[in-house]
């Protein structure tokens, strides 16, 4: 699995668990819908740390909680340096 796909999947899972709509999340995080959509649809391989941290804060999830997923340390994780 690619890193951006893993981040996207985790964000969507958390968003759905917390029952927050996409537009509500974008509004609360003060990021554009297009920015979140590009993350969600894996159109952008590079996700800014600042954007990720804003989304995590908005979702009330710490970076430690988010990155505690064993997939982040898996040998199968492809960072895609291309």
């Amino acid at each position: 699995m690619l890193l951006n796909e893993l981040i996207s999947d985790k964000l969507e899972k958390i968003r759905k668990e917390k029952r927050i709509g996409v537009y509500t999340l974008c509004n609360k995080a003060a990021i554009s819908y297009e920015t979140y959509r590009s993350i969600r649809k894996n159109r952008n391989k590079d996700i800014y740390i600042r954007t990720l941290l804003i989304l995590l804060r908005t979702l009330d999830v710490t970076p430690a909680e988010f990155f505690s997923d064993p997939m982040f340390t898996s040998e199968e994780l492809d960072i895609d340096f291309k």
Side-chain angles (χ1 to χ4, degrees):
M1 174 176 268
L2 292 172
L3 178 60
N4 61 318
E5 292 172 348
L6 178 58
I7 290 172
S8 172
D9 290 351
K10 290 237 354 138
L11 283 172
E12 275 296 281
K13 180 180 176 197
I14 294 166
R15 182 186 67 76
K16 288 176 182 177
E17 284 174 356
K18 297 197 178 246
R19 297 178 183 208
I20 298 174
V22 173
Y23 287 107
T24 301
L25 175 62
C26 293
N27 192 28
K28 286 183 176 185
I31 65 167
S32 73
Y33 171 76
E34 287 303 317
T35 297
Y36 189 74
R37 185 172 164 212
S38 70
I39 293 169
R40 212 168 109 203
K41 301 289 184 180
N42 297 305
R43 290 188 182 144
N44 187 351
K45 288 193 281 185
D46 301 319
I47 300 168
Y48 290 113
I49 286 287
R50 181 179 182 277
T51 303
L52 179 58
L53 293 177
I54 289 169
L55 288 167
L56 293 178
R57 182 174 285 175
T58 304
L59 291 166
D60 197 29
V61 174
T62 67
E65 291 170 326
F66 186 78
F67 289 107
S68 68
D69 188 317
M71 276 300 295
F72 284 108
T73 58
S74 171
E75 294 289 325
E76 297 174 20
L77 182 62
D78 183 1
I79 297 174
D80 191 18
F81 288 112
K82 299 175 189 170

